Amino acid sequence: MANQKSKPAKDRGTSHGRRTFLKATVASVALPYLIPASAMGKDGNTAPSNRIVMAGIGIGNMGRGDSGTFLGRGDVQYVAVCDVKKGARDGAVNKVNQKYGNKDCKAYNDFREIMARDDIDAVHCATPDHWHAIIVIEACRNGKDIYCQKPETKTLREGKLMIDAARRYGRVVSGGSQRVLGDYRKTVNPCWNGDKGIIKSINVNVGPLPKDCNLKGEPVPAGFDWDRWLGPAPWAPYHPHRCSGSYSINGTSWRSFKDYSGGGMTDWGAHHFGGATFAIDVRELEPEEVIFHNENGKKFATCRYPNGKLIHHNYPGRGNLHVEGTNEKGPSKPVPEYAGSGGIYGDFIDCVKTRRRPFRDIEFAAHTATVCHLFLAAYELERSLKWDTVKQQFVDDDEANRLVDVARREPWVI
Amino acid sequence: MTNKETAKMTLAAGVATVAVARADSAAVNKALETLKTYDWGADRNALNPIDRAIIATHGDSAARKALEKSLVDALAGGISRSAQDYVCRKLRVVGTRQSVGALAALLPDEKTSHIARYALERIPDEKAAQAMRDALPKVSSKLKPGIIGSLGTRRDKKSIMLISKLLGDSDIQVAKAAAQSLGLIGTSAAVKELSKFAKKAPANMKMPVGDACLVCAEQLLADGEKSEAVALYKELNGDDQPKRFKVAATKGMLTAATKK
């Protein structure tokens, strides 16, 4: 968006690359036969110089889908991809170059090279979860907006750091659950319409909890930068099940394991708890207590918000997203919707242009992940915990506070 | 009888085993024995009794001490990397100053430094921070950013001078980690070191130092040091600063203005 009046408030250093070249060339030389009208935006499409210049980081599995969606948008110019797997990189580069009919798309193994490019406005990130905070914060530092897949955080500490970075630099940071608004309208709308009366609680059934991984090592496949895949996580030998991006959570994908994910609790939990916090309208809050229940060996838990509302996890006998309210007709309020067109992706792009906060703003997304992490801490310690939402610490519980974050493998610091 | 009561009785009887519920102690000891041969590919479930013992001994300092000692002894006993990994994860939760020596011994080794910090960073005892401060000058450049980061995450004020000396390190990863951690520590002394370095910072350190100063200013504001925060924001709003810092500093000053 280099030529737009409403360009993002960021310093770009010395502008360079295709757009500068195009602008300078058009200004100085008449080349009517070399520059198609479409490139100038005269066929009704957005001219490349006015598109959001984007790159993708982590482009296997979910990242492939995200990449395809952004690439398909007329108001996006996709210029770079980053992945630690050469095969994924090459495939993505080919796809982008085919789309534009050129060879402009660049491939990177190290996301920091994308961050260093002043010509890129925004990135999307679909790496495993243990990378999210580092990449989101680095994007903000480098003046880039970012769409980050869910669950946005891997630890309790990360959420505030990501929100702070977004606010500090005025970046648009969108979380990645398309289901929060897309899948849960049957739950959300009656709550916002006042049909449930005063909401008391909602239940989410989701799992399993993440596991430790002790898989035996295998040779690292050619073209796979295993050390960078591990990144801030503890070193471990390569095994295909440790790093598979498969959506299963049964021990054959990174989503199953503690070092890279919160298991089903955060993976599907980011969707379900996102829908739950939306339905009972506590997106702006964090719980101040998580209550651990063990009734005859049946373990479940409840998060309590400062306004008294409850989110249960696996409450016996209650269905997923079961809402408990007073059931008299209450006041209604308009249900928030996406901006722009194209669902959550369009919402993000629209907000990049308008500088508004997206539907799945990092604050709401991180708060959802906090719910998941509080439940995980309570299940790990098998006791109830009080959470100080200001200090971002458990109250009077040094042991629980050790679970607020993990030490990152060098050289990564957040 | 509860697990905790049983554990206390076991200790009182002078039994030199891990003090958990009588029904579980044999299983815990078997799991501790398993650690001696545990390696990648071994059944993780074989160690579950230790996980259960951690939960069962919560609030029972004597039982915890015995359990911790068993883990420390295992760590010092020449176990595999996978077993070290497991033990350090457990010491992250139950470790005290009793564990620090064994963990500190792992800090200089590139294979074990991080997993040692995995425990040390989260052990609140000052001795854990001291072990990392002591190790910092001695470890390789590759390991320094990790230790610096752990000290920053802890907001360890005693490490400010040690870390600030590394702002000008020839290894950019070390220098960046130093800036970032001083920002996280976020005290007046940290600001002083960052500001001093900012005046002579090479081009590739201007962004990390500016970012660290912004983080520092936010921390000072949160800690009630409004005038210092505003002074720092004014520095970051100077004509010589990049636009992104000036915008952020202006926002910071507006935030400060609304604070009492």
Side-chain angles (χ1 to χ4, degrees), chain A residues 11 112 141-142 167-169 212 214 235 259 382-383 399 401-402 405 407-410 413, chain B residues 38-42 44 52 58 64 82 89 92 95 114 117 122 173 180 211 218 244 251:
Chain A
D11 56 305
R112 290 171 295 187
R141 281 190 189 122
N142 285 279
R167 302 296 183 252
R168 182 179 307 131
Y169 291 112
D212 287 314
N214 195 49
W235 183 87
D259 283 343
E382 296 199 357
R383 62 174 184 267
E399 192 171 298
N401 278 325
R402 298 173 186 218
D405 198 25
R408 286 163 187 78
R409 198 163 63 105
E410 54 278 348
V413 181
Chain B
Y38 189 77
D39 209 341
W40 303 113
R44 171 62 180 77
R52 298 300 313 160
H58 172 65
R64 266 296 171 79
S82 169
R89 286 168 195 267
R92 170 183 178 239
H114 169 246
R117 283 193 298 106
R122 310 307 302 171
Q173 298 291 352
Q180 209 170 331
D211 181 73
E218 289 167 18
R244 75 182 70 161
K251 281 171 62 179

Side-chain angles (χ1 to χ4, degrees), chain A residues 35-280:
Chain A
I35 301 174
S38 61
M40 302 296 290
K42 289 179 179 171
D43 59 353
N45 294 322
T46 311
S49 55
N50 283 337
R51 293 176 195 165
I52 308 296
V53 180
M54 280 197 78
I57 300 169
I59 41 173
N61 295 75
M62 201 64 208
R64 194 180 309 124
D66 292 347
S67 167
T69 304
F70 284 121
L71 184 60
R73 294 185 63 89
D75 50 1
V76 165
Q77 185 76 21
Y78 208 95
V79 299
V81 298
C82 173
D83 203 286
V84 297
K85 294 177 181 171
K86 186 174 184 302
R89 273 199 309 271
D90 291 347
V93 164
N94 289 339
K95 190 169 144 189
V96 174
N97 286 342
Q98 274 179 17
K99 158 85 178 174
Y100 295 128
N102 60 28
K103 292 187 176 179
D104 289 353
C105 185
K106 297 283 182 283
Y108 300 95
N109 185 55
D110 184 341
F111 74 94
R112 290 171 295 187
E113 292 185 66
I114 283 181
M115 298 304 179
R117 278 181 60 168
D118 286 329
D119 62 322
I120 292 174
D121 299 308
V123 295
H124 67 89
C125 170
T127 60
D129 308 345
H130 63 290
W131 269 110
H132 287 173
I134 290 170
I135 291 170
V136 165
I137 293 169
E138 196 63 13
C140 294
R141 281 190 189 122
N142 285 279
K144 287 162 180 45
D145 299 321
I146 180 164
Y147 174 91
C148 179
Q149 263 301 338
K150 43 61 59 176
E152 293 73 9
T153 68
K154 171 69 179 57
T155 72
L156 282 162
R157 176 173 172 252
E158 290 175 347
K160 184 172 186 306
L161 296 177
M162 293 158 82
I163 296 164
D164 285 350
R167 302 296 183 252
R168 182 179 307 131
Y169 291 112
R171 304 325 307 172
V172 173
V173 182
S174 173
S177 173
Q178 76 285 4
R179 296 182 188 274
V180 170
L181 185 60
D183 284 15
Y184 305 123
R185 286 184 190 274
K186 281 185 183 171
T187 304
V188 170
N189 288 359
C191 293
W192 283 66
N193 290 341
D195 299 339
K196 294 282 183 181
I198 298 166
I199 307 290
K200 295 177 179 173
S201 71
I202 189 166
N203 178 57
V204 167
N205 294 331
V206 75
L209 302 180
K211 303 170 184 171
D212 287 314
C213 180
N214 195 49
L215 290 164
K216 194 172 184 178
E218 293 186 9
V220 180
F224 188 178
D225 187 344
W226 176 239
D227 191 68
R228 193 169 296 278
W229 187 91
L230 287 170
W235 183 87
Y238 168 82
H239 188 286
H241 289 173
R242 191 183 278 277
C243 57
S244 164
S246 149
Y247 299 116
S248 67
I249 318 174
N250 60 2
T252 59
S253 73
W254 59 258
R255 294 169 209 278
S256 316
F257 301 122
K258 281 181 185 172
D259 283 343
Y260 324 115
S261 167
M265 178 66 88
T266 60
D267 198 59
W268 265 96
H271 292 311
H272 290 338
F273 286 113
T277 57
F278 185 27
I280 69 170

Side-chain angles (χ1 to χ4, degrees), chain B:
Chain B
M1 186 179 290
T2 66
N3 285 355
K4 286 176 188 171
E5 287 166 341
T6 312
K8 281 175 187 167
M9 283 187 65
T10 309
L11 275 178
V15 178
T17 57
V18 174
V20 291
R22 186 173 293 149
D24 295 334
S25 63
V28 172
N29 287 330
K30 189 179 172 191
L32 287 165
E33 193 63 26
T34 299
L35 274 176
K36 293 176 183 170
T37 54
Y38 189 77
D39 209 341
W40 303 113
D43 179 13
R44 171 62 180 77
N45 292 327
L47 305 179
N48 285 350
I50 300 173
D51 302 347
R52 298 300 313 160
I54 287 173
I55 294 167
T57 56
H58 172 65
D60 185 334
S61 58
R64 266 296 171 79
K65 198 171 177 181
L67 178 59
E68 183 188 2
K69 184 174 185 313
S70 299
L71 290 167
V72 170
D73 288 347
L75 196 60
I79 51 178
S80 72
R81 188 171 185 178
S82 169
Q84 287 175 319
D85 180 282
Y86 173 81
V87 171
C88 289
R89 286 168 195 267
K90 298 302 121 181
L91 291 178
R92 170 183 178 239
V93 179
V94 303
T96 66
R97 58 172 44 209
Q98 184 181 214
S99 301
V100 169
L103 292 166
L106 303 178
L107 283 173
D109 187 332
E110 291 193 358
K111 287 185 176 169
T112 53
S113 189
H114 169 246
I115 206 68
R117 283 193 298 106
Y118 199 90
L120 284 169
E121 182 182 299
R122 310 307 302 171
I123 295 174
D125 196 290
E126 157 63 18
K127 206 175 168 191
Q130 188 188 323
M132 290 191 282
R133 288 195 300 269
D134 291 346
L136 183 55
K138 301 170 192 165
V139 301
S140 67
S141 287
K142 184 181 176 187
L143 298 179
K144 277 187 167 63
I147 294 178
I148 295 167
S150 286
L151 290 167
T153 299
R154 289 175 70 107
R155 296 194 68 200
D156 180 54
K157 297 175 184 65
K158 289 184 181 174
S159 67
I160 290 173
M161 294 315 291
L162 190 65
I163 292 175
S164 62
K165 285 178 190 162
L166 298 170
L167 283 168
D169 198 276
S170 57
D171 185 321
I172 188 67
Q173 298 291 352
V174 173
K176 279 185 176 178
Q180 209 170 331
S181 286
L182 288 172
L184 291 170
I185 293 169
T187 62
S188 304
V191 170
K192 194 176 160 190
E193 295 304 318
L194 282 168
S195 295
K196 199 162 67 183
F197 181 75
K199 294 178 178 67
K200 59 180 180 186
N204 62 356
M205 280 299 290
K206 288 197 183 301
M207 211 267 281
V209 170
D211 181 73
C213 286
L214 286 167
V215 174
C216 249
E218 289 167 18
Q219 190 62 58
L220 288 168
L221 206 53
D223 290 344
E225 306 289 345
K226 183 175 166 178
S227 59
E228 282 192 67
V230 170
L232 188 52
Y233 280 133
K234 281 181 180 169
E235 269 185 48
L236 292 160
N237 202 22
D239 290 339
D240 57 336
Q241 293 291 340
K243 186 176 172 186
R244 75 182 70 161
F245 293 156
K246 293 179 71 166
V247 171
T250 303
K251 281 171 62 179
M253 282 192 278
L254 287 170
T255 304
T258 63
K259 283 221 168 193
K260 286 182 182 173

